[in-house]
Amino acid sequence: MTTRQGLAILGATGSIGQSTLDVVSQHPDRFEVIVLTANSRLAELSRLCLRHRPRYAVVGSPEDALKLEKALRAAGLATEVLAGPEALAQVAALAEVDSVMAAIVGAAGLAPTLAAVRAGKRVLLANKEALVMAGALFMAEVRRGGATLLPVDSEHNAVFQSMPADYAGALADKGVRRILLTASGGPFRTMTLEQMAAVTPAQACAHPNWNMGRKISVDSATMMNKGLEVIEAHWLFNAPAEKIDVVIHPQSVIHSLVEYADGSVLAQLGNPDMRTPIAHALAYPERIEAGVTPLDMFTIGQLTFERPDNQRFPCLLLAYRALRAGGSAATLLNAANEVAVAAFLGGQLPFLRIADVIKAVLDRIPVAGLSDLDAVMTSDAEARTAAAACVAAWS
Ligand code: NAD
Ligand code: MG
């Protein structure tokens, strides 16, 4: 490669952002960090700017922008520091940016990710919530903008690697029978409902196999993460709900599988380390070193599989329900989940009530068609209000 790939890393201070910078650091000849963004952890962003010397940095507030700019100037850096959601959308579309790592958590990532898509960038998608809340519009913009969408979520990256080269269109035409998403089962896989009733945010965030941000850790504990991923797979691979199944695989070594008409099942395996899918998406279609420990089958010994338990983990079925309902249902599901998870993390809502909040929102708000982004944001806001009312009633 003669010219370096210009990168914008949205959500640089997060778990995915940091893993991305770790891979990037191993390949200074390939990648140039153009943009780093963060919402609040200013000291951490400042440290990352000193290390990677981006041309632009974006923070949440103008006050923080002034503070960061002062610190960077004092260190002799000319990085332009911007603030707020509009700046995020602006830097995602810069001419010198080739690829955008979309690693902001939650609905806040939608607008900047869409800006990258509209500008026809290579979009490395970690922010699954953006696709869940606005799937049809998002994919229409990908086609219109000529963007390349590369899945970073480990399951979708595994499916992408196991799919036929050109899977666009009907999966049946490519001989694909179904997609199997693997799930670790999370930290509460073997707990009874009675035990789950009393779990704390610290327990929910202590995932057995993956080290992740707090929101996705709780999503893994409720299994809503897998529900969001079923919807994500639907949009990424043009697969109907009945062709996407979930299998519990506690070792998190097989990251997902694709079953073909002839009986072949292709899977992607590796140690549970997000630097593998991140490196795959960064270098695609080439392969680069990621710094990941090679998989040792002899140490692993056994791989096991179970069916999901819908009684103890109702969130998975709620996600299938939203996917089948179409329209705004997944937008409502995602927004209600974000509110309920924040309330659980804030100590205002018991763990098992997270699913109750989401179900109540899906029951109460009729599904609407989503003609444009305004309609998405209206449904998102409506669901947040309804979910907050449930939290207030059940806290
Ligand atoms: P995290 O909480 O560790 O980091 C989130 C990042 O988003 C931070 O840099 C934060 O500053 C930024 N951010 C948060 N709110 C913001 C806002 N309102 N405006 C602008 N920036 C904001 O989260 P994470 O674990 O890195 O996850 C990021 C995304 O990647 C999520 O959508 C998650 O579902 C997805 N993902 C994560 C993993 C993982 O292993 N961590 C795996 C697969 C997918
Ligand atoms: Mg995943």
Side-chain angles (χ1 to χ4, degrees):
M1 205 183 278
T2 47
T3 52
R4 294 194 294 168
Q5 199 183 134
L7 297 180
I9 302 176
L10 311 181
T13 52
S15 162
I16 292 289
Q18 305 253 13
S19 293
T20 304
L21 286 168
D22 183 292
V23 176
V24 165
S25 303
Q26 298 172 50
H27 304 279
D29 54 324
R30 277 184 174 260
F31 305 111
E32 181 183 4
V33 177
I34 309 283
V35 178
L36 293 179
T37 86
N39 194 39
S40 54
R41 294 172 58 208
L42 211 57
E44 184 56 25
L45 183 62
S46 180
R47 191 187 69 78
L48 295 175
C49 286
L50 295 179
R51 166 94 176 73
H52 299 281
R53 311 179 73 83
R55 288 186 223 169
Y56 302 86
V58 183
V59 293
S61 71
E63 301 76 50
D64 278 353
L66 281 178
K67 280 190 217 157
L68 181 64
E69 193 174 79
K70 208 170 151 203
L72 297 183
R73 292 294 174 275
L77 246 71
T79 302
E80 191 173 330
V81 184
L82 307 164
E86 271 148 42
L88 280 179
Q90 190 189 325
V91 294
L94 286 169
E96 57 265 57
V97 168
D98 303 303
S99 301
V100 175
M101 169 56 80
I104 290 174
V105 60
L110 175 61
T113 307
L114 269 184
V117 162
R118 287 179 178 139
K121 304 297 186 195
R122 262 168 78 106
V123 178
L124 285 49
L125 188 73
N127 177 214
K128 67 193 82 180
E129 295 92 344
L131 199 49
V132 169
M133 69 187 284
L137 287 167
F138 192 107
M139 295 311 290
E141 294 288 357
V142 168
R143 286 186 291 273
R144 194 173 5 218
T148 305
L149 200 53
L150 295 165
V152 169
D153 211 347
S154 58
E155 297 76 4
H156 306 74
N157 186 269
V159 170
F160 182 70
Q161 294 196 45
S162 306
M163 276 286 193
D166 172 20
Y167 58 75
L171 293 186
D173 293 350
K174 301 287 171 189
V176 173
R177 199 184 276 154
R178 64 179 173 146
I179 290 169
L180 283 136
L181 299 180
T182 51
S184 69
F188 307 146
R189 179 175 61 89
T190 58
M191 276 193 185
T192 62
L193 274 172
E194 291 69 31
Q195 289 170 316
M196 282 159 74
V199 296
T200 63
Q203 285 173 292
C205 290
H207 195 279
N209 304 341
W210 300 95
N211 190 357
M212 310 180 286
R214 283 165 67 79
K215 193 262 177 182
I216 185 177
S217 295
V218 177
D219 286 346
S220 298
T222 61
M223 288 207 53
M224 181 52 93
N225 183 50
K226 212 50 53 182
L228 299 176
E229 291 183 356
V230 167
I231 301 173
E232 183 184 11
H234 163 75
W235 292 113
L236 284 175
F237 305 114
N238 198 15
E242 59 275 11
K243 289 201 168 198
I244 309 169
D245 284 333
V246 171
V247 55
I248 306 284
H249 165 48
Q251 295 81 17
S252 298
V253 166
I254 298 182
H255 298 306
S256 280
L257 315 94
V258 177
E259 184 184 305
Y260 287 85
D262 61 5
S264 298
V265 179
L266 302 194
Q268 185 258 358
L269 285 72
N271 278 319
D273 186 324
M274 286 306 294
R275 290 177 300 174
T276 294
I278 288 168
H280 177 265
L282 277 170
Y284 182 80
E286 294 172 28
R287 297 272 181 177
I288 57 171
E289 180 66 49
V292 174
T293 313
L295 188 66
D296 181 353
M297 297 298 222
F298 301 106
T299 307
I300 294 162
Q302 281 196 330
L303 299 178
T304 59
F305 307 95
E306 300 163 13
R307 281 184 205 285
D309 179 340
N310 296 323
Q311 243 70 49
R312 288 182 304 132
F313 300 98
C315 284
L316 188 55
L317 284 191
L318 290 173
Y320 271 104
R321 169 181 161 185
L323 175 56
R324 291 204 164 94
S328 63
T331 317
L332 303 173
L333 175 98
N334 179 66
N337 181 55
E338 286 193 25
V339 170
V341 169
F344 168 69
L345 284 171
Q348 296 134 269
L349 191 73
F351 181 76
L352 291 178
R353 283 291 194 188
I354 295 174
D356 293 341
V357 169
I358 300 159
K359 179 171 184 302
V361 170
L362 288 180
D363 286 346
R364 280 175 208 178
I365 304 182
V367 173
L370 295 177
S371 51
D372 55 20
L373 200 57
D374 284 347
V376 172
M377 296 325 292
T378 303
S379 287
D380 177 271
E382 217 182 335
R384 279 170 202 272
T385 306
C390 292
V391 169
W394 293 337
S395 55

